[in-house]
Amino acid sequence: MKKLFYFSVIVLALSACSSRKKTVGGVMTNTPRAKETPTIPKEVAKTNNERVQRENKVTPGTLTYPAYTVASYVDRFKAIAIKEMNLYGIPASITLAQGLFESGFGNGELARVANNHFGIKCTSDWTGRSYYKDDDRPNDCFRVYNNPEESYRDHSEFLKRKRYAKLFELDKNDYEGWAFGLKECGYATNPQYPQLLINAIVKYNLAQYDRPEGEIQKIKREDRVLAQINKNAGKAAKDSIVSIAPGSLYPGSRNNTPTTISSSTQGRYYTVTTGDTLYNISKRFNLTVDQLKALNNMTDNSIKIGQQLIIAQ
C-alpha cells in the first residue's frame, strides 16, 4: 500500500506540472498529452462517450477487470513495450514508466474506456474514434483505440518525429539518455520529468526489460527508423500555411473567409482547423507552445477554428 500511495503522489505531482500532457501524458507531459480541441456541446460529448462505452463494453463507474497494481500493469504490458523497443529503439523501461504515469497504472478512465494509455489527444489528421474528457479545457478530445496494443504502437509513432530524431541514435537500453532527451526535446515541461522517469524505472526495476544491441544491429535499426522519420517530416506540407499582409485579418478575402496565398509577404501564418491544438501546431513548425504563444501575444491556450497564428517571424 505504501508503494501505491507514493506512486500516486508522483503521478499527481507530474500531472500538475505538465503542460500536457494532462494527461500523460500526457501525459505526464506535453503530449502525446498537451493539446486542446475546439469545445463541443456537452450533450454531444456525452452521447459520443456513451457510444464508446457500449462499444468497448465498459460500464461507467466500474472496472470490467480487477484493478491493476504497478506489478500487474508491468507484467501485462512488458511484452508490448519490449516489442516496441525492438522495432524502434525506445527503451522498454521508458515506455513502461510513461504508461504507468499516463494511465494511472492502467486504472484511469482513458485507459479503461478508450484503451488510451498515454493520454494522446486528437489531432487534425486523426480519423479514429474519440472520447471527450475535461483536461486542459472542457471536453478535450482523446483518441480511442480498439485495444491497449494500438495505444502503445501510437505512442511509438508519436515519437517518430523530427524533434525526437536524435533520441533514436541512442542505445536502446540507454533509459537515462532517453529520459533527459525527452525533456530536452520538449516532450515535457516539468523540469523534474527526467528524474521522475528514472526514479520509477529504478524503483520498479523496469530496466530489466531493456536489451542491448550490437553495433550492426544498431546501425540497421537507426537507418530504418530515421528513414521513417524523414518520410513523416514531409507530411507537414499538407498543413494550411498562409501569409498575411500587415493590417489584414484574412489576406485575399473580402468576407473574412480564410484564403491560402503564396508565402511571399511578411511573416508566415497558419489557419486553425478542426482538431488543431497549440501543441500539435507548435510541433508541426518546430516550436514550443510557449514560443507559439509569445509570437501571437497569447495569454492562454485557447484557439478557435479560422484563427490565424503566426508560426514564423
Side-chain angles (χ1 to χ4, degrees):
M1 290 300 295
K2 286 186 177 181
K3 287 186 176 180
L4 182 61
F5 172 76
Y6 288 130
F7 191 83
S8 299
V9 170
I10 291 175
V11 172
L12 291 173
L14 183 55
S15 298
C17 294
S18 297
S19 69
R20 210 173 117 184
K21 48 189 246 55
K22 299 176 214 175
T23 323
V24 301
V27 53
M28 90 194 160
T29 53
N30 271 342
T31 95
R33 312 157 128 192
K35 315 168 183 175
E36 306 92 15
T37 55
T39 302
I40 67 168
K42 183 182 297 185
E43 286 305 312
V44 174
K46 181 175 183 292
T47 300
N48 174 86
N49 288 357
E50 289 174 347
R51 183 176 66 253
V52 172
Q53 291 162 359
R54 289 194 301 269
E55 292 170 347
N56 288 2
K57 298 180 174 58
V58 175
T59 302
T62 68
L63 288 170
T64 56
Y65 49 79
Y68 282 112
T69 62
V70 172
S72 63
Y73 182 91
V74 172
D75 188 60
R76 166 69 175 82
F77 296 106
K78 63 185 181 184
I80 303 174
I82 291 172
K83 179 180 179 180
E84 296 301 304
M85 173 184 65
N86 290 334
L87 281 172
Y88 303 114
I90 306 166
S93 59
I94 287 289
T95 300
L96 287 170
Q98 290 182 310
L100 284 167
F101 281 139
E102 297 291 344
S103 70
F105 34 95
N107 300 316
E109 180 181 356
L110 286 174
R112 290 188 293 109
V113 179
N115 288 313
N116 189 331
H117 285 244
F118 297 90
I120 297 180
K121 296 187 180 181
C122 305
T123 53
S124 59
D125 59 349
W126 175 247
T127 59
R129 292 180 296 163
S130 303
Y131 190 82
Y132 297 94
K133 186 177 184 297
D134 291 350
D135 191 58
D136 297 321
R137 296 169 61 189
N139 292 328
D140 261 343
C141 180
F142 291 84
R143 299 182 180 190
V144 174
Y145 304 99
N146 293 322
N147 51 62
E149 286 78 1
E150 288 186 0
S151 178
Y152 270 71
R153 173 53 53 84
D154 203 29
H155 170 260
S156 298
E157 293 296 328
F158 177 85
L159 291 174
K160 285 165 52 183
R161 304 180 179 207
K162 185 176 180 181
R163 67 185 294 114
Y164 305 116
K166 68 178 182 180
L167 300 185
F168 291 91
E169 297 177 10
L170 298 171
D171 291 336
K172 69 177 186 179
N173 61 345
D174 184 3
Y175 69 81
E176 290 190 352
W178 267 85
F180 285 101
L182 285 169
K183 174 64 179 68
E184 181 183 345
C185 293
Y187 187 89
T189 57
N190 182 352
Q192 299 303 315
Y193 182 66
Q195 202 57 54
L196 287 169
L197 283 183
I198 292 171
N199 289 347
I201 290 170
V202 172
K203 183 174 183 179
Y204 300 111
N205 192 26
L206 302 181
Q208 66 178 299
Y209 307 113
D210 293 339
R211 297 290 184 272
E213 58 188 340
E215 184 177 354
I216 301 301
Q217 289 177 309
K218 181 180 179 182
I219 292 174
K220 289 182 177 180
R221 191 254 309 159
E222 285 180 2
D223 288 346
R224 173 170 47 81
V225 175
L226 293 177
Q228 294 172 4
I229 292 175
N230 289 333
K231 182 178 180 180
N232 290 338
K235 293 181 179 180
K238 296 186 297 184
D239 294 329
S240 173
I241 302 176
V242 299
S243 296
I244 297 182
S248 171
L249 177 60
Y250 295 124
S253 170
R254 296 182 180 179
N255 57 3
N256 276 350
T257 301
T259 304
T260 301
I261 64 173
S262 64
S263 57
S264 59
T265 58
Q266 301 179 17
R268 297 175 64 210
Y269 285 66
Y270 173 78
T271 303
V272 176
T273 61
T274 302
D276 276 340
T277 67
L278 280 185
Y279 179 76
N280 64 46
I281 293 172
S282 68
K283 296 302 169 282
R284 289 173 197 161
F285 303 109
N286 200 28
L287 298 167
T288 66
V289 171
D290 288 341
Q291 287 172 333
L292 186 59
K293 289 169 66 175
L295 283 171
N296 291 276
N297 296 318
M298 300 173 65
T299 57
D300 58 35
N301 292 341
S302 299
I303 55 176
K304 58 184 179 181
I305 296 174
Q307 181 177 350
Q308 301 289 314
L309 294 177
I310 301 172
I311 49 92
Q313 291 288 13

